[in-house]
Amino acid sequence: MKHHEVEILDAKTREKLCFLDKVEPHATIADIKNMFTKSHPQWYPARQSLRLEPKGRSLKDEDILQNLPVGTTATLYFRDLGAQVSWVTVFLTEYAGPLVIYLLFYFRVPFIYGPKYDFITSRHSVVHLACICHSFHYIKRLLETLFVHRFSHGTMPFRNIFKNCMYYWGFAAWMAYYINHPLYTPPAFGEHQVKLAVIIFLFCQLGNFSIHIALRNLRPAGSKTRKIPFPTRNPFTWLFLLVSCPNYTYEVGSWMGFALMTQCLPVALFSLVGFIQMTIWAKGKHRSYLKEFRDYPRLRSPIVPFVL
């Protein structure tokens, strides 16, 4: 068996960081990262980005050395991704925050609305219903993170956790402040509007959960296998016939229902910002599906059927 030599250079300075001798041709990028860590322990595998060009794309961990466009002496370029944190930790932190923050406003703890209203519950039933729906949503997300989601990437940059938490926690506080405010007024069309909103919210929550289960079943545990998602016997998954990311479609629908239920401007703005962000993600995933699978259904749109 003919072995390879791998030279690893700093992508910025071109300084030689490591030289690996007698690397087996069927070694993966993940194997090379582990070898590199032995000489540079401060750069653990999740922190490494190895690429063929200084400004090229990062190679995947499962890429095999002999399949790359390199000779028996390969030059790879290293870039430090910075401190990493697991996706599970990020999601748990993101979702636990809004759950707790909202409840602080709901129970009207001291120093929020003034001593006169400390621990005095609202007289409007929609306020209590909104708290139940909001709590249900984030408890569902926490449980899905622990028991449903399978992540293709194990980590993300540690700095991102602050940005993500500011978004979720900040909007949760803004929404909760107005919905639980002593001067809050119920929706203009009363119970009929609230009932319709609850139906939309629950329908979309069930749909979102159904899509997450379907996506989970596509990927065996410990695998990074990607397959085309198709509808199952569950009617909520039939939206796969029309969009690539129905989990985002249902998520946006849930927040639209919550906005209709509370008739609160901060909720509407959160729904709009979330829709914009999820549209960007959905378009990216849609492009990836089209690029990776030649037989990918052309009828599908990224997030909104026939529109977007």
Side-chain angles (χ1 to χ4, degrees):
M1 182 187 300
K2 195 170 185 179
H3 289 81
H4 286 62
E5 296 177 340
V6 178
E7 182 182 48
I8 299 178
L9 307 181
D10 187 294
K12 292 182 179 179
T13 65
R14 308 296 192 275
E15 175 189 354
K16 182 188 288 188
L17 300 175
C18 182
F19 183 82
L20 304 174
D21 192 16
K22 296 183 179 180
V23 179
E24 296 183 356
H26 58 264
T28 63
I29 293 299
D31 295 329
I32 294 174
K33 286 182 178 180
N34 287 325
M35 297 177 196
F36 181 61
T37 300
K38 292 180 179 178
S39 58
H40 296 278
Q42 73 274 25
W43 293 320
Y44 44 89
R47 189 165 178 159
Q48 301 173 32
S49 169
L50 296 179
R51 49 196 73 185
L52 295 174
E53 300 292 338
K55 295 184 179 180
R57 288 187 175 185
S58 296
L59 296 170
K60 298 178 180 178
D61 283 351
E62 57 268 25
D63 286 341
I64 299 174
L65 184 60
Q66 65 181 0
N67 295 338
L68 299 176
V70 297
T72 54
T73 300
T75 299
L76 300 179
Y77 294 89
F78 163 80
R79 185 176 291 274
D80 181 13
L81 297 177
Q84 300 288 299
V85 62
S86 74
W87 276 95
V88 172
T89 301
V90 172
F91 277 12
L92 292 178
T93 306
E94 285 178 5
Y95 302 151
L99 178 62
V100 173
I101 289 170
Y102 194 99
L103 291 175
L104 293 177
F105 285 89
Y106 173 74
F107 289 113
R108 295 179 178 173
V109 297
F111 311 113
I112 295 181
Y113 300 116
K116 180 180 177 181
Y117 300 103
D118 288 352
F119 299 111
I120 297 177
T121 58
S122 174
R123 59 188 174 87
H124 302 300
S125 59
V126 65
V127 172
H128 307 300
L129 189 57
C131 181
I132 292 172
C133 290
H134 188 275
S135 299
F136 173 82
H137 174 75
Y138 281 103
I139 290 172
K140 167 184 165 291
R141 282 194 169 191
L142 289 168
L143 293 176
E144 285 177 338
T145 299
L146 293 172
F147 303 110
V148 176
H149 292 320
R150 287 174 177 163
F151 301 98
S152 57
H153 300 286
T155 64
M156 69 182 297
F158 180 74
R159 62 183 177 274
N160 285 8
I161 197 171
F162 299 101
K163 176 182 67 176
N164 293 10
C165 286
M166 283 180 63
Y167 169 73
Y168 283 105
W169 295 19
F171 262 114
W174 193 25
M175 292 187 293
Y177 176 81
Y178 285 102
I179 295 172
N180 297 288
H181 198 283
L183 300 180
Y184 170 80
T185 53
F189 296 99
E191 290 188 6
H192 295 295
Q193 179 175 335
V194 173
K195 288 178 181 178
L196 174 61
V198 170
I199 291 172
I200 294 172
F201 178 83
L202 292 177
F203 178 87
C204 290
Q205 286 288 287
L206 287 171
N208 180 264
F209 176 74
S210 298
I211 299 301
H212 286 162
I213 292 295
L215 292 174
R216 180 185 188 275
N217 293 336
L218 280 180
R219 178 177 293 163
S223 167
K224 293 186 178 181
T225 303
R226 282 169 57 88
K227 299 178 183 178
I228 299 176
F230 286 105
T232 66
R233 293 181 179 179
N234 183 340
F236 286 105
T237 66
W238 296 352
L239 195 53
F240 270 125
L241 293 171
L242 300 175
V243 297
S244 295
C245 302
N247 51 322
Y248 295 153
T249 309
Y250 283 124
E251 180 75 8
V252 172
S254 293
W255 285 109
M256 289 176 64
F258 193 71
L260 181 65
M261 181 196 312
T262 58
Q263 200 170 295
C264 181
L265 180 60
V267 180
L269 291 175
F270 180 68
S271 304
L272 176 61
V273 173
F275 172 67
I276 293 171
Q277 180 60 71
M278 283 183 271
T279 298
I280 295 171
W281 291 336
K283 285 184 173 181
K285 290 187 177 182
H286 184 71
R287 285 193 297 268
S288 296
Y289 282 138
L290 291 172
K291 183 178 180 181
E292 187 172 354
F293 304 106
R294 292 184 178 180
D295 56 342
Y296 191 73
R298 300 289 169 175
L299 180 64
R300 295 183 186 180
S301 301
I303 187 170
V304 180
F306 310 115
V307 178
L308 191 62

